[in-house]
Amino acid sequence: MLRKVYKIIFSFFLVFLYQNITYSKTFDEKNVQNYFSALVSFEENKNIESLHYFNSSKELKESHPEYIKKYVFSLILGEKVNKAISEIKTMKDKKFVDFFEAHLLLALDSIKKNDYKKSLYHINNLKNYEEDGTFKFIISNFLEEYVHLFKDKKIKSDLDSQFGKLSLINRTFQRCYLGHSGTENFFENLINYEEKSNSRYLFFYANYLLTQKNYLKVKDIFKDVDPISSTLLISQAKKWIDEKNYYDFKSIFSCKNSNDIIGEFLFIISNLYSMEYEIENSNFYFNLSNFLNPKFKFNFVLLVDNYFQNEEFTKAKEILKNFNKKNEIYYWYRVKKTSQIIREKNDQDQSFEYIKAKFDAIEKPSLKIIYEMGNIVKSFEKYDLSIEYYTKILSKLEPTSIIYADVLYRRGGSYERIGNEQKADEDLLKSLEINPDEPHVLNYLAYSWLERNYKIDFAIDMLKKAYAQRKNDPYIIDSIGWAYYLIGDYVEAEKLIRKAVKIMPTDPIVNDHYGDILWKLDRKLQANYFWKNVLTFEDVKEKMKEDINYKLLKGPKNS
């Protein structure tokens, strides 16, 4: 069917080209066919094929304005940045390369060659596109500030500060580049802008301090970093610091290097696009970032995650090869992602066997790796094994810490799944002693009590406490709605579960609960509708299917 659609579109495409006088001078059906194939491959994220077809239709380069723009994008996505720059420079008709990305590439090329006068010329052209979107405005203005810094060795007095954290990052790196005495204060402000232990810029702060040989301060700023919940980059940095491996910090980034700074700025842009689910643009800016600073291999995590979003698992697997055993944290990330790829291909047993073998081969896994392995085996419903891993972690943690409470919560959940209610309650209650207001623990314990018809009033109080903190969490909404169902307040239960269904329309438990409530409200046709819905969902347990079929015949038990 898709091929027929493409043939129809191609026919219109040919008519368009035939009618255009500009194209008739260089028109060749084979060229047009290859160009069309390039566009189709490009839209389908088949970049190797796309580049092949673009290269086979290059005679259209000087006659079709859209050709060069699509070709440049394809080259960048194919990590051929120098080739893209060359194609732009050799265009005869410069009007064809009068677009934002072309001017950006020429500006970056000039920055990389330390030709700041020429880069300012190209950045001035970028400013013609500032009204096309916020990102283009940010890119043109921040690049201009950086180039003035590199060229004049001083900070502009009128720095843009309207973009919050992004502006603070800009000002911090500029001071770091010049070696200003106030650089340390700017880094302190930057890492305190968000949760300190999870700030990416804790790494760059440590990197700066190491250039000042301030090793005691480096150890001090990392002493409170959570070894389990911190990000990949911060976990790896902490491991380097614990091992006094300071060289690796300097080997991947220097704030004295203009290319490294611009590379980090472009990485931020790539991240922002990824957060907006604009994956093609994210990959485009990631490759530009890598062009400026190819040393920062850890940034490839973003590219892997982008490929996962697009279900391009072969590409993701290739990128994962950048992470080797030398850097344990990132190697473990590679193992996890490879296991996920195997699982995505519906081979759950092989996925588990793969990650279990890789984990067992690690001689002294860090707490973070053991913790994550506990979560992973739990997702495979290997609850006894997850309890074993969680218990090992608990023996090495401070018993009053928040992370201790979190591991208790997770182990308690595993006990509950294997039917050990006493152990489950002990862990969950102990977790709440340490962190009394944690909404997910309150919800889990309360819901488990509801299912057992145990301490219903106390469970409802816990759920009200959780709901007050997370009024849009569908799981908590479902739990408190179900609590009202159990005490016979079907009207209040219906209001809440209806809200949960709107947020999670394909969740089998929520739909099942809503059906039960509707039945009690004598809205039996609607109840049947929601129960039948459950049977159409994926990953519905056989026991639930049996219960639903019973309800469709006779209604809920004890109704």
Side-chain angles (χ1 to χ4, degrees):
M1 179 64 187
L2 194 59
R3 289 181 177 275
K4 288 181 180 179
V5 172
Y6 284 150
K7 284 180 180 178
I8 294 167
I9 296 171
F10 180 61
S11 299
F12 283 113
F13 194 63
L14 285 175
V15 170
F16 169 73
L17 290 180
Y18 270 123
Q19 290 178 340
N20 192 302
I21 298 172
T22 305
Y23 296 107
S24 64
K25 297 173 183 176
T26 57
F27 177 79
D28 177 271
E29 187 172 335
K30 186 66 176 174
N31 282 334
V32 176
Q33 188 173 357
N34 284 330
Y35 176 44
F36 181 75
S37 297
L39 296 177
V40 171
S41 299
F42 183 81
E43 291 300 321
E44 293 179 345
N45 296 316
K46 296 176 180 177
N47 206 60
I48 294 174
E49 287 183 25
S50 175
L51 281 176
H52 167 73
Y53 287 121
F54 272 121
N55 288 327
S56 300
S57 55
K58 284 187 71 173
E59 288 182 24
L60 295 172
K61 175 183 169 182
E62 296 286 351
S63 58
H64 183 42
E66 280 299 308
Y67 175 95
I68 186 65
K69 188 171 184 178
K70 294 286 188 182
Y71 185 32
V72 163
F73 262 82
S74 192
L75 286 167
I76 300 300
L77 294 175
E79 301 173 50
K80 300 181 185 299
V81 180
N82 281 319
K83 174 69 173 170
I85 292 168
S86 175
E87 290 292 340
I88 292 166
K89 287 180 176 179
T90 56
M91 280 294 296
K92 294 174 185 176
D93 192 336
K94 297 303 178 186
K95 293 195 300 292
F96 284 14
V97 288
D98 185 13
F99 57 92
F100 182 85
E101 291 77 13
H103 294 303
L104 174 60
L105 283 165
L106 294 176
L108 296 178
D109 181 52
S110 300
I111 290 171
K112 197 168 185 180
K113 293 173 179 175
N114 299 324
D115 189 345
Y116 301 127
K117 185 177 179 181
K118 188 176 283 187
S119 61
L120 283 173
Y121 167 78
H122 295 303
I123 288 169
N124 191 53
N125 288 328
L126 285 179
K127 288 183 164 293
N128 294 326
Y129 300 88
E130 285 183 350
E131 294 184 4
D132 289 357
T134 304
F135 287 169
K136 289 181 179 179
F137 179 84
I138 291 171
I139 291 166
S140 60
N141 277 273
F142 278 43
L143 279 183
E144 182 182 35
E145 289 179 6
Y146 277 124
V147 171
H148 277 295
L149 172 77
F150 305 146
K151 176 175 170 286
D152 303 329
K153 299 295 183 282
K154 63 181 182 180
I155 299 170
K156 285 181 69 179
S157 59
D158 58 341
L159 286 182
D160 198 323
S161 59
Q162 65 177 300
F163 293 104
K165 185 183 175 184
L166 195 55
S167 297
L168 181 56
I169 292 168
N170 178 28
R171 293 197 294 273
T172 304
F173 277 132
Q174 293 203 27
R175 279 158 180 78
C176 190
Y177 178 80
L178 294 175
H180 274 195
S181 58
T183 301
E184 198 169 317
N185 289 333
F186 271 85
F187 269 117
E188 287 284 350
N189 291 334
L190 182 54
I191 64 173
N192 288 314
Y193 196 91
E194 57 184 22
E195 193 67 33
K196 183 173 180 178
S197 64
N198 284 320
S199 172
R200 173 180 174 85
Y201 293 94
L202 195 61
F203 167 85
F204 294 101
Y205 187 15
N207 181 286
Y208 165 73
L209 290 170
L210 288 171
T211 66
Q212 308 299 303
K213 301 190 185 319
N214 194 344
Y215 304 113
L216 288 176
K217 181 70 173 178
V218 169
K219 289 180 180 177
D220 182 62
I221 65 172
F222 269 81
K223 74 176 188 301
D224 294 327
V225 166
D226 190 322
I228 290 176
S229 64
S230 54
T231 61
L232 288 171
L233 182 60
I234 300 307
S235 295
Q236 187 64 61
K238 180 171 174 57
K239 189 169 176 59
W240 285 344
I241 291 166
D242 291 344
E243 296 170 352
K244 296 184 178 178
N245 179 11
Y246 302 135
Y247 171 77
D248 281 350
F249 276 91
K250 304 170 190 176
S251 69
I252 64 175
F253 181 87
S254 169
C255 68
K256 298 291 185 182
N257 186 319
S258 57
N259 289 337
D260 289 1
I261 291 177
I262 300 300
E264 174 61 18
F265 169 65
L266 293 170
F267 177 77
I268 294 170
I269 299 299
S270 175
N271 227 322
L272 291 172
Y273 271 119
S274 184
M275 290 166 66
E276 297 288 329
Y277 302 103
E278 294 188 36
I279 302 303
E280 185 182 289
N281 281 328
S282 177
N283 291 346
F284 180 91
Y285 281 96
F286 176 88
N287 286 332
L288 294 186
S289 170
N290 192 53
F291 170 68
L292 270 298
N293 182 11
K295 307 183 298 294
F296 213 135
K297 296 294 184 186
F298 298 151
N299 284 345
F300 276 106
V301 166
L302 175 59
L303 196 57
V304 171
D305 289 344
N306 283 349
Y307 285 145
F308 254 77
Q309 282 196 56
N310 277 351
E311 298 185 356
E312 297 177 79
F313 302 125
T314 302
K315 290 181 182 179
K317 205 169 181 179
E318 190 63 30
I319 297 297
L320 285 168
K321 291 177 182 177
N322 286 283
F323 308 131
N324 55 40
K325 291 182 179 179
K326 178 188 172 188
N327 298 301
E328 182 187 76
I329 302 299
Y330 281 89
Y331 173 70
W332 175 243
Y333 169 82
R334 170 183 171 176
V335 168
K336 288 190 301 177
K337 282 296 183 181
T338 303
S339 175
Q340 277 184 257
I341 290 170
I342 298 169
R343 198 170 185 175
E344 288 289 340
K345 293 177 179 177
N346 296 318
D347 200 333
Q348 185 152 313
D349 290 340
Q350 187 185 341
S351 174
F352 175 75
E353 288 167 9
Y354 170 84
I355 199 163
K356 182 68 166 60
K358 292 293 184 182
F359 174 79
D360 289 343
I362 300 173
E363 190 174 343
K364 292 181 179 177
S366 65
L367 282 182
K368 182 180 182 69
I369 291 174
I370 300 171
Y371 172 80
E372 291 183 350
M373 189 61 180
N375 295 337
I376 289 165
V377 300
K378 188 175 182 179
S379 74
F380 282 101
E381 300 182 2
K382 312 281 186 183
Y383 300 117
D384 287 312
L385 187 56
S386 72
I387 289 167
E388 180 184 321
Y389 292 137
Y390 291 140
T391 302
K392 188 177 291 187
I393 298 164
L394 288 168
S395 69
K396 298 179 186 296
L397 292 175
E398 170 58 47
T400 58
S401 64
I402 295 297
I403 191 63
Y404 191 91
D406 176 70
V407 179
L408 281 173
Y409 159 56
R410 292 172 186 276
R411 190 177 71 172
S414 292
Y415 277 128
E416 187 268 335
R417 290 304 180 97
I418 61 173
N420 193 332
E421 295 168 356
Q422 181 181 341
K423 287 282 191 183
D425 286 359
E426 285 175 7
D427 275 359
L428 295 169
L429 287 167
K430 179 66 177 174
S431 178
L432 288 172
E433 279 181 32
I434 301 166
N435 192 10
D437 297 324
E438 216 299 317
H440 297 104
V441 183
L442 288 165
N443 178 59
Y444 198 101
L445 179 60
Y447 188 77
S448 70
W449 285 0
L450 292 179
E451 286 194 315
R452 287 146 53 189
N453 202 27
Y454 176 68
K455 293 188 176 181
I456 298 297
D457 291 339
F458 192 29
I460 291 174
D461 287 341
M462 286 194 289
L463 287 170
K464 286 178 178 177
K465 193 174 181 182
Y467 182 63
Q469 298 176 71
R470 296 282 191 276
K471 291 196 173 180
N472 289 314
D473 186 313
Y475 297 103
I476 292 174
I477 297 167
D478 175 67
S479 295
I480 194 167
W482 193 241
Y484 280 114
Y485 170 85
L486 291 176
I487 62 173
D489 190 344
Y490 306 126
V491 173
E492 189 63 28
E494 191 276 334
K495 288 178 188 174
L496 288 160
I497 303 289
R498 183 181 353 123
K499 183 179 177 182
V501 168
K502 284 182 181 177
I503 299 172
M504 290 197 305
T506 59
D507 184 88
I509 293 174
V510 172
N511 278 267
D512 182 26
H513 283 170
Y514 196 44
D516 287 3
I517 292 165
L518 291 171
W519 183 275
K520 288 289 188 180
L521 291 170
D522 204 29
R523 292 158 61 181
K524 295 180 180 178
L525 282 176
Q526 289 172 281
N528 282 331
Y529 170 81
F530 283 94
W531 287 329
K532 286 176 182 177
N533 257 0
V534 175
L535 297 176
T536 67
F537 299 152
E538 295 180 6
D539 302 321
V540 179
K541 305 282 185 186
E542 284 303 316
K543 176 67 168 62
M544 176 174 274
K545 288 180 181 178
E546 290 173 11
D547 291 343
I548 294 292
N549 283 318
Y550 179 90
K551 291 176 187 178
L552 288 168
L553 288 171
K554 300 182 179 180
K557 294 174 183 176
N558 304 318
S559 61

